[in-house]
Amino acid sequence: MSSDSVSLRDRWRHIIFGTDTPAGQYFDQLLIVAILASVAAVMLDSVQSIHQQYGTWLYGAEWFFTLLFTFEYMIRLWVSDRPLRYARSFFGVVDLLSIIPTYLSLFLPGANYLLTIRALRVLRVFRVLKLAHLMTEANELGATLVRTRRKIGIFMFSVVIVIIIFGSLMYLVEGPANGFTSIPRSIYWAIVTITTVGYGDISPQTSLGQAVASMAMITGYAIIAVPTGIVTAEMSKASMARRYERECPNCHRHDHDPDARFCKQCGTGLPKPGQEDAG
Amino acid sequence: MSSDSVSLRDRWRHIIFGTDTPAGQYFDQLLIVAILASVAAVMLDSVQSIHQQYGTWLYGAEWFFTLLFTFEYMIRLWVSDRPLRYARSFFGVVDLLSIIPTYLSLFLPGANYLLTIRALRVLRVFRVLKLAHLMTEANELGATLVRTRRKIGIFMFSVVIVIIIFGSLMYLVEGPANGFTSIPRSIYWAIVTITTVGYGDISPQTSLGQAVASMAMITGYAIIAVPTGIVTAEMSKASMARRYERECPNCHRHDHDPDARFCKQCGTGLPKPGQEDAG
Amino acid sequence: MSSDSVSLRDRWRHIIFGTDTPAGQYFDQLLIVAILASVAAVMLDSVQSIHQQYGTWLYGAEWFFTLLFTFEYMIRLWVSDRPLRYARSFFGVVDLLSIIPTYLSLFLPGANYLLTIRALRVLRVFRVLKLAHLMTEANELGATLVRTRRKIGIFMFSVVIVIIIFGSLMYLVEGPANGFTSIPRSIYWAIVTITTVGYGDISPQTSLGQAVASMAMITGYAIIAVPTGIVTAEMSKASMARRYERECPNCHRHDHDPDARFCKQCGTGLPKPGQEDAG
Amino acid sequence: MSSDSVSLRDRWRHIIFGTDTPAGQYFDQLLIVAILASVAAVMLDSVQSIHQQYGTWLYGAEWFFTLLFTFEYMIRLWVSDRPLRYARSFFGVVDLLSIIPTYLSLFLPGANYLLTIRALRVLRVFRVLKLAHLMTEANELGATLVRTRRKIGIFMFSVVIVIIIFGSLMYLVEGPANGFTSIPRSIYWAIVTITTVGYGDISPQTSLGQAVASMAMITGYAIIAVPTGIVTAEMSKASMARRYERECPNCHRHDHDPDARFCKQCGTGLPKPGQEDAG
């Protein structure tokens, strides 16, 4: 690899991974616009009337974006220190899935629906978080969800059990004559009901069925308090936890605000944050 | 401008902006009644049977309110120190939009639907907050929403991505034959489902579609916990901090903990909660 | 009034208002059973098939309960120290409304529907809270709702404005041809949508209408966080507030648990709750 | 009972109740798989097309699982120190209900629907919590719900009263002509509406009915804040208290605040958070 090639690679690396340089920011903004435009093109192309009128234009746009993203994908592979690791990472797979269907449609003309997979391109928009300097908030939200995953998991597990029981019960009570043709379909009804979505495509007809359905609805209405409580308690705790970090050298009280200079209990001067160990 | 005119302008100013004077309060109450009455008239006029029977009366009422609000708008322009700034402010635009359509309907008789814009008059009712001394609570609510806007933004951003993916997936799974005629329409279905509204105008027919829909419903049901948690954690923090709001007599800092005895800023002793007035 | 009569009145008073005496508890339990039975009778009587088969029995039961409640109402008036005050109190009015319709049906045989008012009897069941010693919790919940009423009021006020605007907008966008026949009906649709109920009896047909409806749904889905946050923050505060009541005589710290005997900060003995003033 | 038999019993006891031994873990995992497979078989068998094609296989699988669970039930009875207590416990009854229907179907061939009861087997999956070491979280969630049961109870009680009143009102307003054929059916509508499920199988047709329905919807939308607030406030309190759970070395009390330095029970100095193990 010549010295020129290396410097070109470094320049591309700065463009693709840089968030502070003008070139990097410009590239990110351009990428977001291209992603949104390509997703919009995919969506519009699925509308029959638009497809008939502007199909050729959209086909051209599709190949333009596909070639652009293919070029970007290759650049990313090239400038990455561990190309394989990038290729197998979440965004690497999404980047690949964004371009593959268009090429496949050349060889498998019947697989038109496959093209819908390109809508996954929208996932690439999450890179915008980096752009908008929202990573702190995004990480905070993510950390909360990670910390609550066991409790939320138990809750969802219980909800699934409740759904299966209500579904089976309704199959027993209403039966195939009233639209509850099988237990899986009754479970689908139970999910529609307990999550309070309520399409109404299947609904209980008998009095007993309506009574059971009422219980399912009230259950679904009341238990939404549980995941909300779990997430909220965790978020409150996280925002409080930051206070229990500094200790007063005189009275040893230690729930001081990050910006406190004197102990709120005894008025003694506090060490600066991060200096407790040194003191 | 004669001295009489100035005093007239001042008098009007007191009437329009005054919240403590009897004249100002009387004007505000009258204005609210007029706004509500005019909005009610617009609504009733849209009901076919009422329009046929009381159309003439409502037409008269409409012109009465329009002239009244035009008069008020001009007075506001006149007494305002910076008329242009008022005209371009939120309430200035709303005030103008409240009267324009009626005049336009004289010249554009076909633009009947345009008259619906007058319903925006209802926004003017927000002035009632000033009247009912609810500004503190309204500001507190507003401040909470402002502080949480980045986190809520990230959440809504993620929800939109999830909606697009579920919408595209359902277009792939169910297809045009079952009502999912295009990706935008499938996305509409995904919004109806994930927000747990569930009209049922489009609903999955195949088993696989119902399985995907079930996942969308459970997702929508579970993630409502996130914005609730964000807003609640912020409100809890704000309402704790505010509860015993006290000011340091030395350095005037005033965000002290409920149980603080000394100023965290300068170490000066703080008055006990509830004794500020006495001190 | 003879001495016998007085003692009889006192005895009834003990039966009706007593919550600790066996007679009072027995009366309360009997009353609850009678109320629930009479409400159940009213409900069952409204079912056509049951009315045809057991109409006579239910008619008899109705008169039995009406005479019983009339007797109880008169006793309550008699033993009450201020009969007029009771008659105009919430429960007094409910008690009267529970018996009036049956008598009226004798003179106004056509006013069958009026009998439905008797379902208000169910409100009398709230007396059960006294019976089940749930008053503390009920009062705590009530106090929270009272303290949050201004903020919840502003929120509901804003929601109503948003509903009116979305309703008017949809009338403009969809028009009478798609079921949005008038602004009031469009507002009904907006309420159905923003509260995430989603009957589907009226739903947007045009693409633009579905886009506006999507915004309404997402709005309704997101803003439910606000009242939840308000109520939760208030409840958290209330449960915390009980801690800021006792002060350590040595270090003056004052956020101790109700059951603390020693200061958690300096280990000094704490005065018993309620004795601070004496110390 | 011979010594061999006893040791065999002990071995089985270790397999069934052991959570740390490899044999016990293997048995638990196998049991979960068997339960899920048998529930899946019951569900699939209820689908007409699958029943016709694979009915014989599923019938065989059903008897295989039934004999397996019967064997397991008998082993549990045998190794249990108090067989009767196990038989009457929650899981004991569920275990029995999981196998009874299959045997009954031999003698009562018509009672096909009875077989649906086997879906209750899914309740046995809750044993998985033991397996996945999720008991702490499950108990914490359970304890929160137990502590809030009185307040949640009062809330649900009030909701039921509100539902009955709205249901009766709609029966009065809309009447049988618009689908509100009886008070119980109107109450079913009120539940569908207030829980925001909104099937749309019954919906108000008159303007007055839609106005009342709107009030019911807004009520349901707003009051969901109450149970959420109750559960969240309780969870916040619990999760704060638990965070730095520490035990007094003298009196062994262990519900101390995160920032406590001395035991609130006996005044003894507490080890610092995170140092319990070292001390």
Side-chain angles (χ1 to χ4, degrees), chain A residues 18-74:
Chain A
T19 54
D20 299 330
T21 59
Q25 289 182 353
Y26 191 70
F27 172 80
D28 281 340
Q29 287 164 16
L30 212 77
L31 189 61
I32 295 294
V33 170
I35 291 167
L36 293 180
S38 75
V39 170
V42 170
M43 284 183 190
L44 291 174
D45 197 42
S46 76
V47 180
Q48 206 57 28
S49 59
I50 294 176
H51 177 74
Q52 278 165 357
Q53 211 170 345
Y54 304 100
T56 326
W57 289 93
L58 290 169
Y59 188 75
E62 179 51 37
W63 274 105
F64 170 75
F65 288 124
T66 301
L67 293 175
L68 189 77
F69 294 153
T70 308
F71 178 68
E72 183 217 346
Y73 183 66
M74 283 170 168

Side-chain angles (χ1 to χ4, degrees), chain A residues 109-156:
Chain A
N112 234 15
Y113 279 129
L114 242 159
L115 290 171
T116 311
I117 293 174
R118 295 170 307 177
L120 280 179
R121 274 175 198 163
V122 80
L123 278 174
R124 306 187 67 205
V125 177
F126 271 116
R127 296 195 205 253
V128 85
L129 294 180
K130 186 186 70 176
L131 190 66
H133 302 291
L134 293 167
M135 287 315 284
T136 318
E137 275 86 3
N139 287 339
E140 214 174 299
L141 280 180
T144 302
L145 296 184
V146 165
R147 273 196 305 272
T148 58
R149 71 179 181 286
R150 285 165 73 101
K151 279 188 188 166
I152 296 280
I154 291 173
F155 171 73
M156 293 315 287

Side-chain angles (χ1 to χ4, degrees), chain B residues 14-15 18-30 131 133:
Chain B
H14 273 105
I15 291 172
T19 54
D20 299 331
T21 60
Q25 289 181 352
Y26 191 70
F27 172 80
D28 280 341
Q29 287 164 15
L30 212 75
L131 189 66
H133 301 292

Side-chain angles (χ1 to χ4, degrees), chain D residues 27-35 69 72 76 124 127:
Chain D
F27 172 80
D28 280 342
Q29 286 165 16
L30 212 76
L31 189 62
I32 296 294
V33 170
I35 291 166
F69 294 152
E72 182 216 346
R76 279 187 192 271
R124 306 187 66 205
R127 295 195 205 253

Side-chain angles (χ1 to χ4, degrees), chain C residues 3-18 21-24 27 75 78-79:
Chain C
S3 144
D4 260 352
S5 162
V6 168
S7 74
L8 184 68
R9 188 166 166 249
D10 277 353
R11 222 178 309 149
W12 272 110
R13 195 201 299 261
H14 272 105
I15 290 174
I16 284 183
F17 295 113
T21 58
F27 172 80
I75 295 280
W78 177 42
V79 303

